[in-house]
Structures are given as C-alpha cells and as structure tokens.
Amino acid sequence: MTPRTHARPPEPSRAARLRDRLVRRTPGRRRDAWRIATPVAGLLCGGLFVVSAANSEGTDLRPGRYTDLASLVKDEADQYAELEAERGRLDAQVKALAAATRDRQVARYHHRVEKLEDPAGLVPRSGPGLSITLSDAPEDLINSTTGDVNKLLVHQQDIQAVVNALWKGGATAVTIAGQRIVSTTGIKCEGNAVQLQGVPYPQPYVIEAVGEPGALLTAIEEDPYVAGYREDAANPDISVGWDLELETDVTAPAYEGLLDLSYAVPLVPASGS
C-alpha cells in the first residue's frame, strides 16, 4: 500500500511574489514620505508669510479693506504725504550741508538756483485771483441718463483747458486741489479721481490762480474749449459742475514734488537706412 503523502502547495508565480513584496513595503514608504513632506510644507507656509509681510510694508493686502474708491484715494494720499514729509526732511539736510560749503563754485551755482526757484514754482505765491470748481453731474442724473455719460463727467482735458486758459491770462501761480502746478506737472484721470504727480485726488476739482482777476476772467471767457464746457454746465440734461469765484487773496504753496524730467529720445537711424 502506497503511503499517503501530503501535496506540496504550488510555487507562487513571479507576479504574485512582486505584489506581496510591494504590499509589505507600502506602509513603510508612506511613513517615510510623510516625514519629508510635513517639514517641507511647514517651510513653504513660513516662506509665504514672510514674503506677504515684506510686500505689504505694514498695510493690508486684502482688497476688502477699502469699501469705496474715496477711501482708497485717501489712504494713498496719506501714504504719499508721509513719504513727502520724509523727503522734505532729507532735502533740508542737503540744503544745510550745501550752505555750509565754502567752495566758491558751489556758492555760485547755489545763487543761480535761488534765482530760478521763483519762476520754477518753488517759492510760495499769494495775491488776488480767482477759483474755479469743476465737478461731475449729480449722481441721480448720471444713473438715469440714456445718453453719453461721458458728457456728465469731468475729464483731464477739461481740467487742462482751464489751467491753460489761466496761464494765457497771465497767472503767476496755479493750484489744483491745493497742489502747485509747474511746467512738468502731469494731469491724468484715474476713474473718478485725478492724478497729480502720481497722487490721486477725488472730485470736486478746485483750481485756483494768482493773477490780475480781470485778465484771468477774460481769458476764461474767450477760451473756446472752456466755453463748450460752460454750455454743458448750463444744460439741465448734462449739468456738469462749474463754479467761478473772484478772490481777493489766493495762496499758492511752493511746489514740493520731484523735479526729475523724463523725455523721449529719437532713435538713431541705422546706417544705410
């Protein structure tokens, strides 16, 4: 009688052995991955916090901070005022150091600069003149109009036309929103605000000029562009804001902005072109 023997289990296939090996090693690999990923994620989050703090410079990066455009304009104007105050302090130090210099050539140039400060607008001016206030049409009229809404708004060309007419009338100093206007001043509209030297100012736009009131008034009345604006102001369907007042005393502060002048340079044509 043939003794009974136990059957040996079949040899596992190569694919099965590989699967068993991967299954056994998976938990260890997951633990190793988490050990590396956790500190890396922490470092990345910390880096983002540092970059955000550096870029904000103490301000809130969230746009929800501003509930309307007027708040944004005021905040930017306040920041500019702080920077301008710092620039003024540094400029005063430079002037004090220059005045203390005993070099003859430096003194000669300093004297020439002093003579040019007044015509350049760097010296305060005061005297009789006039003030003109430009403003958008009433909000209810703007919201209900079915025509061109641009006619109901003040644009940079409107402000420029008034300023140019005042210069033609012999104004010795002009201000917009209390800021002195000089030959390098750029007037640019941004939404319902105007930018002067890169600083936004909301409407209404108050323009003041120092000069002989009669000559200034004549220049305003004879300017064709300003005449068209005044016609729109008198039209009840447009009613863009216009107000002119003769003043016995107008004060124009000295210009305190940057004096750098940027200009275009023509390209040098290539040889043979």
Side-chain angles (χ1 to χ4, degrees), residues 62-256:
R62 295 170 297 175
R65 175 187 179 187
Y66 304 107
T67 58
D68 57 2
L69 184 58
S71 298
L72 175 60
V73 170
K74 182 180 182 302
D75 185 78
E76 298 229 349
D78 291 343
Q79 292 184 35
Y80 174 84
E82 293 177 2
L83 294 174
E84 184 60 29
E86 178 65 17
R87 186 206 62 81
R89 288 191 292 268
L90 295 175
D91 188 56
Q93 293 180 21
V94 171
K95 288 183 177 180
L97 292 172
T101 303
R102 301 304 178 186
D103 185 271
R104 288 186 177 182
Q105 188 174 6
V106 173
R108 184 163 57 251
Y109 280 117
H110 187 67
H111 181 66
R112 290 177 58 184
V113 168
E114 287 181 340
K115 292 179 63 177
L116 294 173
E117 283 183 344
D118 185 34
L122 305 181
V123 175
R125 283 272 190 163
S126 62
L130 55 79
S131 66
I132 296 173
T133 303
L134 308 180
S135 58
D136 295 344
E139 188 173 353
D140 57 345
L141 183 58
I142 294 176
N143 294 333
S144 63
T145 185
T146 57
D148 185 5
V149 72
N150 285 317
K151 290 187 176 181
L152 283 67
L153 306 176
V154 178
H155 301 282
Q156 65 185 54
Q157 57 265 33
D158 303 326
I159 302 173
Q160 290 168 344
V162 172
V163 172
N164 290 336
L166 293 172
W167 288 131
K168 292 179 183 177
T172 58
V174 178
T175 65
I176 301 176
Q179 303 302 308
R180 185 74 173 267
I181 304 302
V182 296
S183 59
T184 58
T185 299
I187 302 173
K188 180 182 179 182
C189 278
E190 287 289 341
N192 63 343
V194 64
Q195 279 195 1
L196 304 173
Q197 286 85 231
V199 182
Y201 296 92
Q203 58 113 17
Y205 309 114
V206 179
I207 306 170
E208 294 184 307
V210 178
E212 202 282 308
L216 296 176
L217 185 59
T218 299
I220 289 294
E221 292 176 345
E222 293 180 350
D223 187 275
Y225 188 98
V226 177
Y229 182 96
R230 293 171 64 192
E231 290 177 3
D232 289 341
N235 185 342
D237 294 331
I238 300 177
S239 294
V240 68
W242 169 270
D243 182 66
L244 186 150
E245 296 287 342
L246 297 178
E247 305 287 352
T248 57
D249 186 27
V250 176
T251 299
Y255 174 76
E256 296 182 347

Side-chain angles (χ1 to χ4, degrees), residues 6-41:
H6 295 284
R8 296 179 62 185
E11 193 74 23
S13 65
R14 184 166 179 257
R17 290 198 303 273
L18 179 61
R19 184 177 63 251
D20 292 342
R21 206 178 314 154
L22 289 175
V23 169
R24 287 196 298 271
R25 292 183 180 180
T26 299
R29 288 188 176 183
R30 286 179 179 174
R31 287 193 296 270
D32 292 341
W34 277 110
R35 290 194 189 101
I36 298 173
T38 301
V40 170

